[in-house]
Amino acid sequence: MARPLVWKDLAALSRFRKHIMYLDNELRLIYNPGLFSSSVLSILTISSGFCTAVEQIDSAKYPFLIGQVFRTAVDHSARLSYLAPEGQDHPGFSAVLAQLTTMAGEGGALQILAEVDQNSLEESLLARAGFRPYAEQRIWKLPQRFNYGTGKKAWVPITPREFDQVTAIYQRLVPSQIQRVEIPPTGNSIQGLLCWEAGEIVGVALTRFGPRGIMADLILEPDLNELDDYLGALFFHMPYKRSGDIYLKIRTYQQQIISVLERGEAS
């Protein structure tokens, strides 16, 4: 039976360090807290946001299967950080996921989200445990010498007086099947940039800033022209862009943005 991680389990964590199935791109790419440190935090206090569970297995190499979820105080959902060891289609992962679900629910999470590649082992493990897909996305890492443009379009930081407008554009442009899982942002959970055109908000970039970079979740009006200018201006105005890598998360329903980015990759 799966259980929470305890102090005596920490000695075995070095065996998993290079054999992890990551399931939260945001946490991995811009925060990367480390397997050991995040595990210690999950034991010390629930307020850290980390919950870690293990399932004992009969293996000479690995003493248990392990998984972890993470949730911030402002998020409605917990995010599945990782499962380990990688490459094993073990039925015990279902017990790990069930324990993590219980722990996340006790911490206030309404659900657990995960990011997986299609037709991967991770997708199979999650499906067996009852997870179901609700959206497709792609993530771009901008090259270090990315052309940030001239900033002709007006992207400015979101302030509290625009919170309601940001929520409204999210509710209007994001498909309902996604909103049922990713609840529209409100209040202090909103941070990022918005774009004005002729007195109207036409785009929102919801951002997360971490020690290793920036993740931007972009929402744009679908009928905008000159998308290259909007994208270039977004990164021209992005704060702290020289402090780390910038990643752009695009849902596949925004095909017009994907086409622009693919065209940039090909050039």
Side-chain angles (χ1 to χ4, degrees), residues 155 158 165-167 169-170 173 185 190-195 201-207 216-221 234 254:
W155 287 91
I158 299 170
Q165 292 169 284
V166 171
T167 301
I169 194 172
Y170 185 99
L173 296 181
I190 298 174
Q191 68 170 350
L193 302 171
L194 52 80
C195 184
I201 296 177
V202 297
V204 174
L206 301 172
T207 55
D217 195 343
L218 183 59
I219 304 168
L220 283 176
E221 291 281 359
L234 168 62
Q254 299 184 98

Side-chain angles (χ1 to χ4, degrees), residues 129-151:
F131 284 68
R132 294 294 179 265
Y134 69 94
E136 294 183 4
Q137 68 181 26
R138 294 180 63 181
I139 294 177
W140 272 264
K141 176 183 177 181
L142 297 185
Q144 292 292 328
R145 297 187 178 183
F146 180 77
N147 180 5
Y148 290 99
T150 61

Side-chain angles (χ1 to χ4, degrees), residues 93-94 97-98 101 112 122-133:
F93 278 120
S94 293
L97 290 165
T101 299
I112 296 178
E122 294 89 333
E123 184 180 38
S124 176
L125 292 174
L126 294 184
R128 185 184 302 155
F131 284 68
R132 294 294 179 265

Side-chain angles (χ1 to χ4, degrees), residues 23 25 79 111-120 123 126 131-139 170 173-183 217-219 249-254 258:
L23 299 161
N25 287 306
R79 302 181 67 88
Q111 60 206 348
I112 296 178
L113 308 183
E115 297 172 303
V116 297
D117 291 331
Q118 288 184 328
N119 303 316
S120 64
E123 184 180 38
L126 294 184
F131 284 68
R132 294 294 179 265
Y134 69 94
E136 294 183 4
Q137 68 181 26
R138 294 180 63 181
I139 294 177
Y170 185 99
L173 296 181
V174 175
S176 59
Q177 70 268 22
I178 296 178
Q179 293 191 47
R180 284 195 292 269
V181 179
E182 298 182 15
I183 299 171
D217 195 343
L218 183 59
I219 304 168
K249 181 188 296 185
I250 304 294
R251 305 292 194 212
T252 53
Y253 73 86
Q254 299 184 98
I258 292 175

Side-chain angles (χ1 to χ4, degrees), residues 41-74:
L41 286 172
S42 71
I43 297 174
L44 286 174
T45 173
I46 192 172
S47 64
S48 69
F50 292 101
C51 297
T52 311
V54 300
E55 167 79 350
Q56 302 292 144
I57 58 173
D58 183 15
S59 169
K61 186 173 183 180
Y62 298 106
F64 47 72
L65 306 174
I66 184 170
Q68 186 179 91
V69 295
F70 175 75
R71 174 179 173 264
T72 69
V74 298

